[in-house]
Amino acid sequence: MFRSALAQCENFITLKRGGLRRRGGTRFVAELKNSLQGGWLIPFEFGNGQSYMLEFGEGYFRVFTSSGRIQGVEVPTPYSVSDLSKLKFVQSTDTLFITGGEIAPQALKRRAETSWVIEPMDFQDGPYLDVNIAPTNLKPSDLGNPVPKMTSSSAQNGSASASHNSSAAWQVFDRSEGKVVLSSGASGWLQYHFTSAVVIDAYMLQAPNDNSQNDDMPWQWNIEASNDGTNWTILDTQDGQDTWASNEWRQYAFHNETGFTRYRLSFRQGGGPNGDNAAIGQLVFHQAGQDQTPFDLTASNTAGINGGDGFKATDVGRHIRFRGSDGFWRWFKISSRISTKKVKVQLFGQALLDDKAQTSWRLGAWSGTTGWPETVGWHKSRLAFAGTREEPQKVWESQTEDYTNFSVSHVLQASDAVTAAILSGQVNRIQWLVDDNDLIVGTTRAVRALGKATDQDPYGPENVDQRPETNFGANGISPIKIGSVLLYFGSYGTDMREIAYDFSADGRVSQSVSEVQSHLFKAGIFGASYQQYPDSILWLWDSSGRGIGFTYEREQQVYGMHRHDFGGAVECMADLSAAGADEIWMIVKRTVNGQVRRYIEVMQKPFLGGAQEDAWHLDCASRYQGPPVNTLSGLGYLEGEEVVLYADGTDYQATVHGGEISLPNGQTAEKILVGLDVRATAKTLPFPVNAQDGATLGRKLRVDTCAIAVLETGTLKVGSEVTHLDQLIHYRAGDQAGAPAPLRTGVLQPVPETRWEGGGQLTLEANGGKPSTILAINFGKDGEP
């Protein structure tokens, strides 16, 4: 086996069990829509074997499968090319949640194979900045209640009635405390009939003013709706609503997007223990916010609003939390800006009881004014966001399993939304979020964990705590989780670290895993993806477009890095599950026929056995398989390039002209792979052998004997790069005539041609279309006395 490491490893991958294998080549998929602008790749894995790669570019995305592009699918997006590398995303079944680029979080949805959409997420009730402490008050001009204050059984837009005492039913809507008997027994109904359809999605009930003595309030009912008075739809059902205090308010909400002309409270089990004289105090309906005509919300001054600047045009769409005179919080959404002190709003949650001005309010935390979250992640069945322009150290988690709802209850519940500020002595922007038992939060100067304060209680707004994990900060590249270990990149992208639980420390510890290969990180890592199968490799690319592979198997203490030259600059890599192995998709910037072209390519599986003509070790390649042919067309994407034709297991050199290429001398083949040659090189380190009078460091050495164990190898050269490399795989007696030399497995014992100045280093090289796997090397050396 290799004694320690290699001085050079390029286009070989280091195997988990030791040894080297040529990496697979790449398959040409398509050219970017605009080669001059560039793009980005985002995987979308729907499940059940349905995996897609999304090509994002300037204001669009397109969809690919392993078979190629899905024609006819091109969806507009709000992202520019400069935004793309900053995007963070997580997926839930058919929806991809995307943040970044100073753009409102988006939901990208797959509706069908050829039907995709991306649209801003529609958040509910928050999140918010701190409660206003300025003397500024806000006054609404409407209540969000579609039923006017009634003074008789009929109003301008409808009428009230009841199963009993209909003449007094309107008093339930007169907006004053009292008592209205609706039934002489335990059951009955109260109805409001609108003149046109209205969408109702919430209501409030108030108990009679003497309920503590008589207990006449119903405790079991339905809210029903109808357009004809005959066919009723149940919208909400309540049971066990007992022990009402006099004049007590309770709130109820339900999902409804349909307009009806009639709504009624159909109750049972009312009238107290005697079941007589069922009564209520007030009933207040709420018209669905999105169906309301926007109304004025006026501020007494601009203090406390955007740092004293007042409302801005960038506040449109922003939320405002508002505490009504009854002590309950509602929320507005700004639909337009009128002035620095006035906006048009729609009211969500529940209707207001009055239009009194209030000083208890909170502005939304996310907007075009304050900025939008830059990162997203999962945590305990919540969707978590973090890091806006105004609050770069804040984390917001949605309600449990309600990913767009950031509300909290009047009495806090464990399922309510969670907001936490990451503690630090300085402003350290949050770079990423990773789900674990805790929410792991990477910042520019540290990594912290957000989790339970006490294990006995469920995680929620009243049981949240944060702990420091390490003071080694992170950059914006999304980390990679492998088992229980988290790999991330330092603040400057010039090192890679792992975080793992350590029993002796009773906590997570961080250590560098890139020190030995730190020279590969000098340019700064720009992005990363992880190919779990077949070889557990992290694929990285740096700011100069060089590819770097990192074979990582922590349990076996395997950490092997290798450089890769794809014949162009790598601008993006993304991993995608596929049949039999994980795929690495990439965007490669190439110069073809004197022009800049950006191609989507997919790295192919390394050769793992089988017929040697099936090997794929050429880059930007296309394959023909069918009846024997001499000429291939459709290769315009390689126009003018010198390529290798790997035809039925034999290599031929040629140049593409007019998008075509031919085998020499009229030959034909059934399987032809056409692509750019990939030269794989490995060079051993100088041999550190001790001599009788001291170390051999600085003394001349040369390799004089060599034994190399190979597995199913069709090409391998060995020797010194300054003298000569001998091809070790060639025809032998007994090999089939007219066919390529068979793949070799066993121990090769060449006599390498090396020099004393070589320092005892050995160079191994493989190119062309054939596979090459090196299991072990053992060589003798001759040293200067």
Side-chain angles (χ1 to χ4, degrees):
M1 302 296 289
F2 295 106
R3 288 288 298 270
S4 55
L6 294 171
Q8 179 183 358
C9 184
E10 185 167 314
N11 294 324
F12 278 114
I13 61 175
T14 57
L15 303 177
K16 294 183 292 184
R17 55 188 173 275
L20 301 173
R21 177 188 290 134
R22 286 191 76 185
R23 69 161 170 85
T26 67
R27 173 171 59 88
F28 172 78
V29 176
E31 185 173 2
L32 288 188
K33 179 183 176 182
N34 192 326
S35 273
L36 296 180
Q37 289 183 322
W40 203 253
L41 298 175
I42 294 181
F44 187 101
E45 299 191 8
F46 184 62
N48 297 322
Q50 300 179 73
S51 297
Y52 305 89
M53 188 60 71
L54 310 181
E55 172 206 337
F56 276 72
E58 181 75 25
Y60 76 92
F61 78 82
R62 304 194 296 183
V63 182
F64 291 82
T65 68
S66 293
S67 301
R69 184 187 165 203
I70 298 178
Q71 296 298 320
V73 178
E74 183 173 318
V75 182
T77 77
Y79 302 115
S80 66
V81 168
S82 61
D83 296 327
L84 300 180
S85 63
K86 306 169 189 174
L87 300 183
K88 302 290 195 304
F89 50 88
V90 293
Q91 187 174 344
S92 173
T93 59
D94 62 349
T95 302
L96 196 70
F97 301 107
I98 307 175
T99 61
E102 280 290 330
I103 292 170
Q106 304 284 307
L108 187 155
K109 299 179 181 180
R110 175 196 181 275
R111 294 173 174 170
E113 182 85 0
T114 58
S115 179
W116 299 70
V117 66
I118 185 170
E119 55 194 5
M121 295 181 67
D122 185 16
F123 293 105
Q124 306 297 308
D125 200 4
Y128 299 98
L129 302 176
D130 293 337
V131 176
N132 167 60
I133 59 174
T136 302
N137 63 55
L138 300 180
K139 179 177 173 56
S141 64
D142 202 348
L143 307 179
N145 181 356
V147 180
K149 181 178 179 180
M150 300 190 73
T151 57
S152 66
S153 294
S154 297
Q156 186 176 3
N157 72 338
S159 59
S161 59
S163 58
H164 175 76
N165 197 19
S166 276
S167 61
W170 64 270
Q171 297 175 23
V172 176
F173 303 103
D174 68 359
R175 300 182 186 175
S176 63
E177 296 177 354
K179 176 178 181 179
V180 181
V181 177
L182 299 176
S183 174
S184 59
S187 62
W189 53 264
L190 167 71
Q191 175 182 289
Y192 191 87
H193 182 190
F194 293 96
T195 55
S196 59
V198 177
V199 180
I200 300 295
D201 65 358
Y203 61 101
M204 294 188 294
L205 282 172
Q206 185 183 39
N209 54 13
D210 64 353
N211 202 70
S212 298
Q213 294 77 38
N214 298 317
D215 197 20
D216 290 333
M217 186 69 181
W219 57 272
Q220 186 181 66
W221 66 80
N222 294 333
I223 294 292
E224 301 171 343
S226 175
N227 281 315
D228 57 12
T230 301
N231 300 295
W232 293 88
T233 299
I234 297 176
L235 301 178
D236 186 50
T237 297
Q238 297 293 331
D239 195 359
Q241 296 293 315
D242 53 1
T243 64
W244 290 76
S246 297
N247 296 322
E248 178 185 352
W249 284 101
R250 295 186 188 180
Q251 299 181 341
Y252 307 91
F254 50 85
H255 181 76
N256 177 40
E257 298 179 357
T258 304
F260 295 94
T261 57
R262 294 173 171 86
Y263 291 87
R264 73 181 184 186
L265 174 75
S266 179
F267 58 88
R268 308 174 298 282
Q269 302 298 325
N274 296 325
D276 62 353
N277 295 326
I280 67 173
Q282 295 186 70
L283 171 60
V284 176
F285 286 120
H286 173 259
Q287 183 179 9
Q290 64 272 16
D291 288 339
Q292 294 172 16
T293 300
F295 54 90
D296 292 344
L297 184 68
T298 305
S300 59
N301 58 70
T302 61
I305 302 175
N306 293 327
D309 293 337
F311 293 115
K312 299 181 178 182
T314 48
D315 287 328
V316 172
R318 194 174 185 180
H319 297 180
I320 301 176
R321 201 163 195 239
F322 182 86
R323 189 183 185 197
S325 58
D326 57 359
F328 289 100
W329 290 86
R330 285 84 165 169
W331 62 283
F332 298 107
K333 179 184 282 189
I334 300 175
S335 59
S336 63
R337 172 187 179 269
I338 307 302
S339 69
T340 57
K341 294 194 294 184
K342 182 183 292 187
V343 289
K344 291 285 188 181
V345 297
Q346 294 166 303
L347 176 64
F348 293 81
Q350 294 285 349
L352 290 164
L353 297 184
D354 55 57
D355 60 0
K356 295 177 181 178
Q358 301 290 336
T359 57
S360 293
W361 49 268
R362 306 172 69 179
L363 289 176
W366 305 344
S367 67
T369 304
T370 55
W372 299 98
E374 291 296 318
T375 189
V376 62
W378 294 113
H379 184 222
K380 296 188 180 299
S381 300
R382 303 169 185 264
L383 190 60
F385 296 88
T388 64
R389 184 173 62 251
E390 186 161 312
E391 297 184 297
Q393 293 181 262
K394 189 71 71 70
V395 176
W396 301 271
E397 299 183 41
S398 71
Q399 287 200 356
T400 304
E401 298 183 352
D402 193 354
Y403 306 141
T404 61
N405 192 336
F406 286 82
S407 66
V408 293
S409 306
H410 187 68
V411 177
L412 286 177
Q413 306 292 323
S415 60
D416 283 346
V418 174
T419 299
I422 298 303
L423 303 177
S424 174
Q426 53 188 325
V427 177
N428 296 327
R429 175 171 291 278
I430 294 174
Q431 302 280 34
W432 42 256
L433 304 173
V434 173
D435 188 23
D436 203 355
N437 291 329
D438 298 324
L439 180 65
I440 309 302
V441 183
T443 77
T444 52
R445 293 297 180 190
V447 177
R448 300 182 71 88
L450 202 64
K452 292 182 178 181
T454 59
D455 290 334
Q456 293 77 17
D457 299 318
Y459 180 77
E462 293 188 297
N463 186 31
V464 59
D465 190 23
Q466 58 177 285
R467 298 176 297 279
E469 296 295 328
T470 175
N471 61 354
F472 290 99
N475 70 1
I477 298 174
S478 296
I480 294 172
K481 189 176 181 183
I482 303 177
S484 60
V485 179
L486 191 68
L487 293 167
Y488 73 97
F489 300 89
S491 299
Y492 303 103
T494 55
D495 66 319
M496 181 164 60
R497 308 189 66 83
E498 66 175 12
I499 293 181
Y501 185 83
D502 184 87
F503 285 99
S504 61
D506 192 24
R508 298 181 182 91
V509 297
S510 173
Q511 66 176 7
S512 174
V513 292
S514 59
E515 286 301 318
V516 176
Q517 301 92 354
S518 59
H519 60 287
L520 298 180
F521 288 70
K522 284 184 178 179
I525 300 302
F526 198 77
S529 60
Y530 177 55
Q531 185 181 34
Q532 183 176 22
Y533 187 82
D535 293 305
S536 186
I537 297 177
L538 281 82
W539 291 98
L540 326 172
W541 70 99
D542 65 17
S543 58
S544 66
R546 294 188 308 171
I548 302 170
F550 178 36
T551 305
Y552 179 84
E553 187 68 36
R554 190 172 191 268
E555 289 76 8
Q556 303 300 322
Q557 296 185 337
V558 175
Y559 307 92
M561 288 196 180
H562 24 97
R563 288 184 292 192
H564 295 271
D565 181 2
F566 293 94
V570 177
E571 295 186 335
C572 182
M573 286 182 170
D575 56 278
L576 190 69
S577 297
D582 298 328
E583 291 181 341
I584 295 297
W585 290 57
M586 60 181 70
I587 294 175
V588 183
K589 178 184 175 183
R590 302 184 180 277
T591 300
V592 178
N593 203 25
Q595 295 183 332
V596 172
R597 314 285 286 270
R598 286 179 169 88
Y599 295 153
I600 299 175
E601 303 176 30
V602 182
M603 194 183 303
Q604 301 300 287
K605 290 186 293 186
F607 186 78
L608 300 176
Q612 65 171 306
E613 58 266 27
D614 292 331
W616 195 309
H617 294 289
L618 306 179
D619 280 346
C620 200
S622 296
R623 168 170 278 169
Y624 167 82
Q625 183 171 346
V629 295
N630 168 260
T631 300
L632 296 179
S633 59
L635 298 171
Y637 73 94
L638 289 174
E639 183 66 29
E641 293 297 303
E642 184 177 330
V643 297
V644 172
L645 290 84
Y646 184 57
D648 288 344
T650 299
D651 291 333
Y652 302 92
Q653 303 286 332
T655 302
V656 178
H657 292 293
E660 293 187 347
I661 202 164
S662 300
L663 291 169
N665 304 319
Q667 297 181 73
T668 61
E670 297 178 348
K671 291 183 180 180
I672 307 176
L673 182 68
V674 181
L676 304 174
D677 197 7
V678 178
R679 187 174 303 278
T681 303
K683 187 176 182 180
T684 62
L685 287 167
F687 215 93
V689 179
N690 291 329
Q692 291 182 353
D693 58 346
T696 59
L697 184 64
R699 301 188 184 190
K700 294 182 179 179
L701 289 172
R702 71 181 180 88
V703 176
D704 56 6
T705 63
C706 183
I708 304 174
V710 299
L711 174 68
E712 295 185 317
T713 294
T715 178
L716 183 62
K717 297 177 183 179
V718 65
S720 170
E721 59 186 9
V722 298
T723 56
H724 180 71
L725 299 177
D726 289 324
Q727 176 62 255
L728 303 187
I729 310 298
H730 45 73
Y731 280 100
R732 298 176 182 175
D735 290 344
Q736 181 180 349
L743 303 180
R744 304 300 184 190
T745 297
V747 178
L748 307 177
Q749 294 182 312
V751 180
E753 184 178 337
T754 61
R755 292 182 177 181
W756 287 100
E757 292 81 4
Q761 292 178 276
L762 196 67
T763 298
L764 302 99
E765 186 177 285
N767 67 320
K770 297 183 180 183
S772 183
T773 301
I774 303 166
L775 299 179
I777 300 176
N778 188 15
F779 54 89
K781 66 281 173 193
D782 191 4
E784 183 181 31

